[in-house]
């Protein structure tokens, strides 16, 4: 009963986000039959959206999505994709063309392709992400739209695709809106465009749409979950195989194509020291999918976080999805390996992926490298708490994040928010997000990066009412940067209203890589180093501290940081500069994490 409810909640979420599709988000796309549409796409920059609206600002039926061509010399067509510029996909437009660096608005993308679809197959177009709002058309017909810049979406095109001469057109609009998620103000660059891979996915008429296979909450030997078929032959025998563990369990899907999974298993558990992944096959009569899945349990007990039943300290660092060295939105396996490689060098066993779901390569590499993950939706700063559409949008992004990454052992914490101001409306909003996440995934921990306050000059208190609904308390503090000099940390103590583990989810300060001077001089590596030294002293004195993720692994672009010659639109709180140079504070943290390991 619980599982079928859980399953229908997953489906509900996906259907609404993808318009009229009868298929939920397709997961584990790398294991499917795919054709990449990455590469150069013809583009038209359209600040006034004249390709979408007529001069009365009414949606036009004859917009750029028609990809019209003049039929005669007297025909009036005022755009032409094929003689327009192009942009690389995946990629943000801001770092591809100087005149688009600050651009916020709409850009039209066109990709032409041929596709001979085999009989008894279906075809979907899958987007890893497009920031922020995407309207998608195939051969002049609208196939769907998606809101949210950091989660995947797919649409079925079986009926519309033709052997040759297909044109896929996407209007991507990254304009910020007050009612959006995130809202108008963020401290990261609003990189626009089709920022992650695009692929065609060919499936059988009835295929394995999605599955959830993880250890039951608190168990180290009982696997639980579900499998969901999509199509017309929904009642089938489905076998879950884990050959290396000698496991083969068959279930029969019901009239909805769903079946619960439930079996004991003696499995080697995934951990940072030994990130064991098993080859798992999900075999239906008409389709099969293979995946690499790790099995571990994660829970809390009082102020402890337990991994596989043992207390653990999360030695972490925050990461933005900024591409190392080249800058711009990171989107590749190489980017992920570089960023996670630096985290490993720090001695980290944990990363906080801020403030939105990162690309799937990050999660898959974290699985392989044995790095635990905090994954978050961009409910950031002052969201429109009373707006039901804003809540539905946030809830949908949460569903898509969990749907894509629920089988990743590396993901241990889902976070629903960052630095959001206290109010009843905010509490209701976030409480409901937490409840939604728990219905979708009862196996992981819930958290949020909360605020704290001084109860006197030397005591910080964590008593945000949201803490009651969370498993792990997250808290951001900038003692030494926004809050006094670095040595202020020496005289501070921390209190919490809750008997729960704390992850100090942000702390740190800016330093321009290579800038040296007195430890009291801001922007120098010595000042940042001093912040870390004093912070670590303070953190060691917090009895309920069970993790840290300082802000931040690498410098990242932010429109809020214009200081010439120092910031130049980069937030310089990285322990590594955007050119890949390690700053002095990197080694201070590395030494502490070394100490924590031993
Ligand atoms: C905040 C916020 C970050 C921001 C950081 C900073 O706490 O969560 O997104 O970049 O502080 O000011 O550098």
């Amino acid at each position: 009963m619980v599982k079928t409810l859980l399953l229908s909640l997953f489906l509900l979420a996906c259907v609404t986000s993808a318009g009229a599709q009868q298929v939920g988000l397709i997961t584990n796309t790398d294991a499917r039959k795919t054709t990449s549409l990455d590469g150069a796409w013809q583009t038209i920059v359209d600040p006034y959206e004249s390709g979408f609206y007529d001069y009365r600002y009414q949606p036009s039926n004859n917009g750029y999505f028609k990809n019209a061509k003049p039929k005669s010399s007297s025909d009036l067509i005022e755009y032409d994709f094929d003689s327009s510029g192009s942009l690389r996909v995946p990629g943000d437009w801001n770092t591809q063309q100087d005149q688009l660096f600050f651009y916020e608005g709409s850009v039209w993308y066109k990709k032409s392709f041929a596709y001979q679809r085999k009989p008894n197959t279906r075809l979907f177009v899958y987007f890893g992400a497009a920031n922020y709002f995407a309207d998608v058309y195939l051969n002049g017909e609208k196939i769907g739209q998606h809101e949210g810049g950091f989660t995947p979406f797919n649409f079925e095109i079986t009926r519309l695709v033709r052997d040759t001469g297909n044109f896929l057109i996407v209007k991507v609009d990254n304009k910020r809106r007050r009612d959006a998620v995130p809202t108008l103000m963020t401290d990261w660059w609003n990189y626009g465009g089709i920022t992650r891979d695009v692929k065609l996915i060919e499936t059988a008429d009835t295929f394995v749409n999605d599955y959830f296979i993880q250890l039951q909450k608190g168990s180290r030997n009982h696997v639980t979950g579900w499998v969901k078929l999509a199509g017309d032959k929904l009642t089938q025998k489905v076998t879950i195989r884990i050959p290396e563990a000698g496991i083969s369990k068959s279930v029969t899907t019901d009239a909805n194509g769903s079946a619960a999974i439930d079996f004991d298993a003696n499995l080697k558990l995934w951990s940072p020291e030994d990130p064991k992944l098993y080859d798992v096959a999900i075999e239906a009569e008409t389709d099969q999918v293979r995946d690499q899945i790790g099995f571990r349990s994660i829970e809390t007990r009082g102020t402890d976080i337990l991994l596989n039943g043992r207390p653990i300290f999360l030695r972490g660092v925050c990461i933005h999805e900024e591409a190392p060295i080249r800058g711009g939105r990171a989107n590749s396996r190489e980017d992920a390996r570089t960023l996670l490689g630096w985290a490993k060098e720090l001695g980290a066993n944990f990363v906080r992926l801020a403030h939105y779901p990162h690309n799937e390569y990050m999660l898959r590499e974290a699985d392989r490298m044995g790095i635990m993950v905090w994954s978050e939706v961009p409910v950031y700063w002052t969201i429109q708490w009373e707006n039901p559409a804003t809540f539905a949008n946030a809830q949908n992004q949460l569903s898509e994040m969990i749907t894509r990454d629920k089988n990743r052992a590396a993901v241990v914490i889902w976070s629903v928010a960052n630095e959001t101001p206290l109010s009843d409306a905010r509490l209701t909003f976030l409480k409901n997000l937490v409840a939604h996440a728990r219905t979708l995934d009862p196996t992981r921990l819930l958290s949020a990066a909360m605020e704290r306050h001084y109860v006197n000059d030397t005591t910080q208190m964590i008593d945000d009412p949201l803490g009651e609904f969370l498993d792990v308390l997250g808290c951001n503090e900038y003692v030494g940067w926004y809050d006094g000099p670095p040595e202020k940390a020496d005289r501070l103590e921390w209190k919490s209203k809750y008997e729960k583990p704390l992850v100090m989810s942000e702390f740190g300060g800016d330093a321009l890589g290579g800038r040296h001077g007195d430890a009291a001089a801001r922007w120098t590596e010595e000042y940042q180093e001093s912040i870390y030294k004093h912070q670590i002293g303070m953190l060691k004195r917090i009895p309920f501290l069970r993790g840290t993720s300082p802000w931040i692994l690498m410098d990242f672009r932010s429109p809020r940081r214009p200081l010439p010659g120092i910031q130049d639109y980069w937030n310089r709180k990285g322990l590594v500069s955007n050119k890949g140079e390690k700053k002095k504070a990197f080694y201070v943290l590395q030494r502490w994490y070394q100490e924590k390991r031993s």
Side-chain angles (χ1 to χ4, degrees), residues 89-379:
V89 168
D92 60 274
W93 59 60
N94 312 74
T95 56
Q96 290 189 54
Q97 294 176 10
D98 292 351
Q99 75 263 38
L100 296 177
F101 185 63
F102 288 104
Y103 181 64
E104 294 185 300
S106 286
V107 172
W108 293 83
Y109 288 76
K110 180 193 70 98
K111 187 74 174 178
S112 298
F113 66 94
Y115 195 91
Q116 275 71 46
R117 187 173 65 79
K118 284 195 284 311
N120 306 321
T121 64
R122 301 170 73 174
L123 195 65
F124 300 85
V125 58
Y126 176 96
F127 294 83
N131 190 48
Y132 172 76
F133 199 100
D135 291 286
V136 185
Y137 308 80
L138 182 69
N139 300 340
E141 283 208 38
K142 179 106 182 225
I143 58 174
Q145 60 193 43
H146 182 265
E147 178 161 8
F150 303 100
T151 47
F153 52 99
N154 47 248
F155 304 122
E156 179 154 17
I157 58 172
T158 309
R159 190 177 51 76
L160 283 172
V161 75
R162 42 200 193 212
D163 288 357
T164 58
N166 296 290
F167 52 95
L168 179 65
I169 291 182
V170 187
K171 169 181 176 296
V172 181
D173 179 4
N174 76 333
K175 275 196 299 299
R176 288 168 291 123
R177 297 194 331 264
R178 181 71 193 83
D179 64 335
V181 179
T183 183
L184 293 170
M185 182 63 83
T186 70
D187 192 28
W188 68 81
W189 205 268
N190 183 23
Y191 289 123
I194 302 179
T195 49
R196 295 181 188 156
D197 299 334
V198 183
K199 54 189 99 172
L200 299 174
I201 303 177
E202 183 181 292
T203 71
D205 271 342
T206 302
F207 67 101
V208 178
N209 184 174
D210 196 5
Y211 49 89
F212 189 8
I213 304 175
Q214 284 282 286
L215 284 178
Q216 188 170 40
K217 180 83 183 166
S219 163
R220 287 185 287 287
N221 56 16
H222 192 75
V223 173
T224 183
W226 46 264
V227 59
K228 170 80 183 97
L229 305 181
D232 43 28
K233 194 170 177 304
L234 291 177
T235 303
Q236 294 191 18
K237 178 181 165 200
V238 177
T239 303
I240 311 298
R241 282 188 215 289
I242 311 180
E244 201 186 334
I247 289 171
S248 171
K249 295 288 175 192
S250 295
V251 292
T252 303
T253 48
D254 63 17
N256 291 326
S258 338
I261 294 168
D262 216 356
F263 56 85
D264 288 340
N266 181 9
L267 298 161
K268 197 160 190 232
L269 299 179
W270 182 97
S271 69
E273 294 71 33
D274 184 1
K276 171 66 184 168
L277 299 177
Y278 282 91
D279 285 332
V280 177
I282 299 100
E283 297 169 355
E285 293 156 26
T286 56
D287 184 29
Q288 65 175 279
V289 178
R290 294 182 179 289
D291 203 347
Q292 289 70 49
I293 299 181
F295 297 89
R296 52 94 194 96
S297 77
I298 188 78
E299 54 199 313
T300 60
R301 188 179 54 208
T303 58
D304 282 339
I305 299 175
L306 308 178
L307 176 72
N308 299 331
R310 278 201 296 275
I312 193 162
F313 188 91
L314 304 179
R315 304 186 309 272
V317 68
C318 289
I319 302 181
H320 252 304
E321 199 181 39
E322 185 86 47
I325 319 295
R326 73 175 188 280
R329 213 20 105 218
N331 55 40
S332 68
R333 194 181 301 283
E334 292 62 45
D335 292 338
R337 287 187 174 157
T338 302
L339 293 167
L340 294 175
W342 286 334
K344 274 264 179 186
E345 259 183 81
L346 261 178
N349 61 6
F350 171 68
V351 291
R352 176 184 175 213
L353 302 182
H355 294 288
Y356 38 76
H358 287 212
N359 63 75
E360 195 171 347
Y361 294 115
M362 261 322 236
L363 287 303
R364 293 274 178 182
E365 287 309 308
D367 247 11
R368 260 184 276 276
M369 293 166 76
I371 298 181
M372 291 175 283
V373 169
W374 159 311
S375 187
E376 183 165 292
V377 283
V379 176

Side-chain angles (χ1 to χ4, degrees), residues 354-427:
H355 294 288
Y356 38 76
H358 287 212
N359 63 75
E360 195 171 347
Y361 294 115
M362 261 322 236
L363 287 303
R364 293 274 178 182
E365 287 309 308
D367 247 11
R368 260 184 276 276
M369 293 166 76
I371 298 181
M372 291 175 283
V373 169
W374 159 311
S375 187
E376 183 165 292
V377 283
V379 176
Y380 180 91
W381 289 348
T382 314
I383 295 281
Q384 252 183 6
W385 309 112
E386 275 111 3
N387 182 335
T390 301
F391 179 78
N393 177 1
Q395 187 182 42
N396 178 55
Q397 294 189 40
L398 184 62
S399 301
E400 292 175 345
M401 172 174 80
I402 295 177
T403 299
R404 190 195 71 186
D405 300 331
K406 61 188 176 300
N407 291 308
R408 304 282 72 75
V411 180
V412 291
I413 296 176
W414 301 119
S415 167
V416 295
N418 179 73
E419 290 187 359
T420 49
L422 305 190
S423 76
D424 294 346
R426 168 256 191 188
L427 184 60

Side-chain angles (χ1 to χ4, degrees), residues 187-188 320 352 355 380-381 418-419 476 478 481-482 506 510 551 556 560-561 571 573:
D187 192 28
W188 68 81
H320 252 304
R352 176 184 175 213
H355 294 288
Y380 180 91
W381 289 348
N418 179 73
E419 290 187 359
N476 297 354
Y478 281 92
W481 186 254
Y482 299 124
E506 286 183 36
D510 289 61
W551 192 258
F556 62 95
R560 302 178 68 248
R561 313 294 174 174
N571 182 311
K573 292 190 180 69

Side-chain angles (χ1 to χ4, degrees), residues 427-479:
L427 184 60
T428 307
F429 189 111
L430 297 180
K431 218 168 60 177
N432 293 339
L433 281 186
V434 169
H436 182 66
R438 291 195 194 283
T439 55
L440 293 181
D441 177 8
T443 69
R444 287 183 176 82
L445 305 176
L446 266 294
S447 190
M450 300 182 292
E451 308 251 359
R452 79 259 117 33
H453 63 98
Y454 282 93
V455 286
N456 59 42
D457 287 358
T458 58
T459 308
Q460 300 243 31
M461 171 58 82
I462 301 172
D463 57 3
D464 182 326
L466 178 62
E468 193 186 325
F469 304 94
L470 303 177
D471 303 301
V472 172
L473 309 172
C475 186
N476 297 354
E477 52 89 7
Y478 281 92
V479 176

